[in-house]
Amino acid sequence: SSHKAVQLAAQYDAIYAAVGVHPEEADGMTCDDDYVLSELAVDNAKVLAIGEIGLDYHFRTDNKDVQKKVFIKQLDLARQLHLPVSIHARDAHADLMQVLKTEGRGVRGVIHCYSGSWEMAEELFNMGWYIGADGPLTFKNAAKLPEIIRKMPMEKLLLETDCPYLAPVPQRGKRNEPAFVKYTAQKVAEIRNMQFAQVAEITTINAKNLFFDK
């Protein structure tokens, strides 16, 4: 899939790519894959990040050590290539914070589709990380996320879609697509009592600062 992402990015001016091994695929990662990811990213202006990488204990907890090892290796790759990371964390927040504090120095990026606590978010902001808001922000069962969005510094927020999953209201249940990011932006504007255009401008600047400011 990283190869496909790079090919699409090369084909279309508006598309950029991230390359990486998702934690659900951690068991199959080899040293050869490290080399392939490096080759895809190095000296390629259309590859802006290493991702989606991280930890996922939702479906499996029997390979935590493998997931951590693969995660740390890719953090190190991002550090060497001076690229930000997009991090996936599901039911693994304690281990995520431990890895970032011990192995994440010199790396920056976004915690994609953030689902942690306010206390964790504060720690992340202090460490220089961004958090990503996706379709779940618009759901009735959004839980802690709306309050986090209300209180957080806007300069640390990115908007995402997680296409093809987690389509926002009023498109929930459909195949998600990048254009639906506007609904998440509208929800942020509502929560923050801001104009939609303000939210769009600020989060666009944030994305440029993270992914284009090498």
Side-chain angles (χ1 to χ4, degrees), residues 83-85 104 106-110 128-130 209-214:
L83 289 174
V85 294
V107 182
R108 59 200 208 107
V110 57
W129 293 86
Y130 294 77
N209 286 343
L210 177 61
F211 294 113
F212 289 91
D213 184 13
K214 301 290 180 64

Side-chain angles (χ1 to χ4, degrees), residues 36-160:
V36 170
L37 292 176
S38 179
E39 286 291 292
L40 287 173
V42 71
D43 295 329
N44 188 338
K46 296 302 295 285
V47 175
L48 300 185
I50 302 298
E52 183 176 329
I53 64 176
L55 302 171
D56 191 319
Y57 299 164
H58 185 71
F59 295 109
R60 289 189 62 181
T61 57
D62 61 315
N63 68 341
K64 289 183 178 181
D65 288 342
V66 172
Q67 289 193 40
K68 289 179 190 176
K69 181 179 178 181
V70 168
F71 182 27
I72 291 168
K73 286 171 69 176
Q74 293 184 94
L75 287 173
D76 186 55
L77 176 64
R79 185 184 298 108
Q80 293 179 46
L81 297 178
H82 306 290
L83 289 174
V85 294
S86 175
I87 292 179
H88 171 102
R90 192 175 185 190
D91 297 342
H93 293 129
D95 281 358
L96 170 69
M97 295 304 290
Q98 186 270 329
V99 170
L100 292 183
K101 289 175 181 177
T102 58
E103 306 291 342
R105 295 185 181 90
V107 182
R108 59 200 208 107
V110 57
I111 313 302
H112 152 73
C113 199
Y114 186 73
S115 60
S117 66
W118 168 248
E119 292 75 17
M120 177 178 164
E122 282 189 300
E123 280 198 80
L124 289 165
F125 300 146
N126 289 335
M127 295 163 62
W129 293 86
Y130 294 77
I131 66 171
D134 299 55
L137 178 66
T138 68
F139 298 172
K140 288 182 179 179
N141 63 346
K144 302 166 286 189
L145 189 55
E147 181 65 11
I148 292 171
I149 296 298
R150 186 185 69 80
K151 296 193 296 186
M152 70 173 290
M154 280 294 291
E155 65 269 18
K156 289 300 181 183
L157 177 65
L158 297 184
L159 300 182
E160 309 171 328

Side-chain angles (χ1 to χ4, degrees), residues 1-50:
S1 61
S2 291
H3 282 286
K4 291 179 181 178
V6 171
Q7 289 166 5
L8 280 171
Q11 189 175 353
Y12 299 99
D13 288 343
I15 294 179
Y16 293 83
V19 299
V21 175
H22 191 279
E24 290 181 0
E25 308 294 333
D27 281 334
M29 188 172 180
T30 68
C31 292
D32 288 341
D33 293 320
D34 292 340
Y35 176 76
V36 170
L37 292 176
S38 179
E39 286 291 292
L40 287 173
V42 71
D43 295 329
N44 188 338
K46 296 302 295 285
V47 175
L48 300 185
I50 302 298

